[in-house]
Amino acid sequence: MGSNPASGSAPPSGSEPEGAELAPGLEGWADETVGEDSTAVSVGSGDMAVLATPALLALVERAAVAALHGRLGQDRTSVGASVSLDHLAPTPVGGKVRATVRLEGVEGRRLSFSFVVIHGAGRVAEGSHLRVVVDRRRFEASARDRLDGAGDS
């Protein structure tokens, strides 16, 4: 998507045990300038030269990943599991958008985020996003196993 993406979150303190900072209120963000490659016509989700909904979702996921950066340990990561997204307004090529996520709940490995995406002209999107914390090696092995068994059905 676009050029010069940026993302961030409050820096981890480094003094708490792994996962201790995963509490409601944690926030992260990601910025994007809409480029031709992130339009609906380019990604195949429509025929307009405006920010595509799939590209918008990718921006939200980047913001969630930024919020969790440095908080899960090297052997763990998070994966997107579900999303509820209301795309409220179009954003043209060259428009700058910011996705901001807020961790609303932690239930075991399940992390529930709310999000809003804004543009200078107002709100572009809002919704909720669920991520699940997984063991990196086991998850990748599971993905490879699915490939190995793909012709068995």
Side-chain angles (χ1 to χ4, degrees), residues 86-109:
D86 292 324
H87 197 157
L88 305 170
T91 307
V93 171
K96 295 180 181 180
V97 291
R98 171 173 279 193
T100 303
V101 301
R102 183 178 193 281
L103 184 59
E104 299 293 346
V106 178
E107 294 179 33
R109 298 181 310 124

Side-chain angles (χ1 to χ4, degrees), residues 116-135:
V116 63
V117 180
I118 59 168
H119 173 266
R123 202 170 271 230
V124 173
E126 60 191 18
S128 60
H129 177 47
L130 176 69
R131 296 190 72 78
V132 177
V133 177
V134 298
D135 178 274

